[in-house]
């Protein structure tokens, strides 16, 4: 059997690749092969535990693919040969292709902790049946321990704190939660919200063992503290699922990702890679970075799908900006680009400005929330390097403005002169709009620094 385009994977990058190919080269036959038949929307997995009345609300269905005439197969690709342009299937068959797109995603990482194989220890699997089983297990539990204080761990802790558990413990080996995305003041704000909701937060702590008989009963920390746990969730991260590519001889980078060029082409002819399995380069340094986001994955999918047969769009992905957003309690948090910690590590000279204002005007209006915004600029050129925000729901879209400004190398002066739409029920006041105000304050600092240097 032969298909013009075979896509291996069932997540967002695989789906968007297929739909893009259909739009760009509509006469081609497209087959998407996925190993998980009941996939779910990855970013919403934590909310399957309590917020959603039925886990099926998060199903990642095939309807858009089927409507576009994309064939969907539930099978596992066990190998492919770039020379013969064939893939082998676990079901025993094989298929030929013109173009192959690897969208195999990531695999969960299990830490080498004694007892990690006990009954009751769960990783986060992108499967409806697996997450429904986890939801049922948690419903019958009293105490849950979560290992890993990144976004997944924080969001699960927040979600589970809304249930009827006796205790939720969040354990992070680093001194701060979500430290890869936020500077300390935002990390501290997240931690305080979780604590106020009843979550027991253990930062700067390593889990030394998961204890019990066949079933987990507790976890032990390196300081000797024992935490009761009927269920343990492991959310310490993931690694690119690249065994298939490695076995076919495709080169991997230092993070284990498939090496690709600016058009998502691998070093094998007619083989592309997109999404979490594909190499990511930092926007500022162009170094390989282990940052896996659905937004980046779908952008890569559109690049690959558009350029699969002919290069139609030239160098549209300048590197990952690492734009994140989340909600903890009733507070929203978002980050894009560099944080101060990253600037220091990479030796970028920078200045930052922090401003606060209500997200409606006047701030006494119903539903108004205090917003805190931090912008980071290169101290000579004034180019925007990064931004962080906490506040109400408008944070989720304001960070996208910041992400685009970073991508377009917007300066503090340009942001200071930015023309904005405002409305009392929708935005901060035009007189103190955080984005403009932060840029204005940064410019004042730059001028002061120039004067000092000239003195």
């Amino acid at each position: 059997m032969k298909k013009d385009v075979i896509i291996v994977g069932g997540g967002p990058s695989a789906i968007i690749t297929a739909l893009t190919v259909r739009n760009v080269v509509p006469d081609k036959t497209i087959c998407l092969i996925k190993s998980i038949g009941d996939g779910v929307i990855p970013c919403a997995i934590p909310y399957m535990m309590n917020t959603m009345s039925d886990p099926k609300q998060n199903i990642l269905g095939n309807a858009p693919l089927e409507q576009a005439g994309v064939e969907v197969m539930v099978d596992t690709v066990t190998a492919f040969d770039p020379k013969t342009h064939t893939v082998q299937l676990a079901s025993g068959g094989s298929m030929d292709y013109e173009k192959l797109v690897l969208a195999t995603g990531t695999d969960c990482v299990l830490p080498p902790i004694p007892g990690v194989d006990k009954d009751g220890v769960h990783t986060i699997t992108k499967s409806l049946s697996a997450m429904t089983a986890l939801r049922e297990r948690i419903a019958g539990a009293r105490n849950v321990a979560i290992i890993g204080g990144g976004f997944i761990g924080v969001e699960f802790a927040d979600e589970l704190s809304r249930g009827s558990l006796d205790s939720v413990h969040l354990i992070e080996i680093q001194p701060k939660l979500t430290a890869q995305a936020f500077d300390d003041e935002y990390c501290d704000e997240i931690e305080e919200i979780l604590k106020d909701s009843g979550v027991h937060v253990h930062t700067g702590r390593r889990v030394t063992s998961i204890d019990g008989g066949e079933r987990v009963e507790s976890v032990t920390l390196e300081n000797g503290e024992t935490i009761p746990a009927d269920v343990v969730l492991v959310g310490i991260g993931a690694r690119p699922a690249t065994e298939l590519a490695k076995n076919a001889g495709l080169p991997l980078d230092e993070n284990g990702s498939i090496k690709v060029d600016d058009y998502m082409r691998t070093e094998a002819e007619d083989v592309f890679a997109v999404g979490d399995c594909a190499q990511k380069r930092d926007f500022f340094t162009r170094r390989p970075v282990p940052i896996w986001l659905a937004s980046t994955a779908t952008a890569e999918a559109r690049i690959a799908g558009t350029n699969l047969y002919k290069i139609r769009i030239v160098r549209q992905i300048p590197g990952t900006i690492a734009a994140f957003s989340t909600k903890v309690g009733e507070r929203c948090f978002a980050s894009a680009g560099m944080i101060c910690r990253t600037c220091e590590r990479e030796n970028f000279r920078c200045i930052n400005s922090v401003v606060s204002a209500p997200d409606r005007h006047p701030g006494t209006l119903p539903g108004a929330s205090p917003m805190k915004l931090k912008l980071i600029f290169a101290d000579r050129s004034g180019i925007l390097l990064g931004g962080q925000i906490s506040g109400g729901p408008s944070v989720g879209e304001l960070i996208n403005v910041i992400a685009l400004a970073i991508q377009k190398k917007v300066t503090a002066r340009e942001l200071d002169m930015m023309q904005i739409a405002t409305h009392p029920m929708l935005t901060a006041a035009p007189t103190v709009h955080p984005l403009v105000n932060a840029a204005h304050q940064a410019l004042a600092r730059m001028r002061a620094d120039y004067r000092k240097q000239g003195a």
Side-chain angles (χ1 to χ4, degrees), residues 35 119 357 429 442:
S35 57
D119 181 27

Side-chain angles (χ1 to χ4, degrees), residues 107-182:
D107 293 324
C108 294
V109 172
L110 272 177
I113 300 173
V116 75
D117 57 346
K118 290 185 183 299
D119 181 27
V121 179
H122 296 260
T123 56
I124 311 306
T125 305
K126 301 168 187 177
S127 156
L128 176 63
S129 55
M131 291 301 95
T132 299
L134 174 59
R135 172 177 165 135
E136 293 170 354
R137 190 68 178 264
I138 289 173
R142 295 178 58 192
N143 305 292
V144 173
I146 302 167
I147 303 175
F151 282 99
I152 289 293
V154 164
E155 289 171 356
F156 260 94
D158 180 51
E159 175 76 354
L160 297 184
S161 72
R162 302 167 190 267
S164 57
L165 292 163
D166 288 351
S167 70
V168 177
H169 291 261
L170 179 59
I171 307 157
E172 168 56 42
I173 194 170
Q174 298 298 325
K176 302 287 184 180
L177 302 174
T178 63
Q180 297 301 313
F182 293 106

Side-chain angles (χ1 to χ4, degrees), residues 237-260:
R239 64 169 63 92
T242 54
E243 194 69 18
L244 188 64
K246 181 180 178 182
N247 291 342
L250 270 60
L252 308 180
D253 72 10
E254 61 199 61
N255 297 308
S257 301
I258 303 169
K259 286 187 176 181
V260 292

Side-chain angles (χ1 to χ4, degrees), residues 48-67:
M48 297 171 71
M49 300 301 108
N50 281 315
T51 299
M52 295 180 187
S53 59
D54 186 339
K56 292 179 181 177
Q57 292 173 289
N58 198 38
I59 193 73
L60 188 61
N62 296 327
L65 296 168
E66 293 169 348
Q67 291 168 7

Side-chain angles (χ1 to χ4, degrees), residues 30-105:
I30 307 168
C31 180
L32 183 147
I33 306 172
K34 58 180 182 177
S35 57
I36 297 177
D38 62 346
V40 294
I41 300 169
C43 298
I45 286 176
Y47 311 108
M48 297 171 71
M49 300 301 108
N50 281 315
T51 299
M52 295 180 187
S53 59
D54 186 339
K56 292 179 181 177
Q57 292 173 289
N58 198 38
I59 193 73
L60 188 61
N62 296 327
L65 296 168
E66 293 169 348
Q67 291 168 7
V70 175
E71 181 182 354
V72 178
M73 292 178 57
V74 179
D75 206 332
T76 299
V77 175
T78 56
F80 70 92
D81 187 339
K83 294 180 180 179
T84 62
H85 282 51
T86 58
V87 301
Q88 302 296 323
L89 303 175
S91 59
S94 66
M95 299 176 70
D96 299 330
Y97 64 84
E98 285 184 356
K99 304 289 182 180
L100 178 67
V101 182
L102 303 176
T104 48

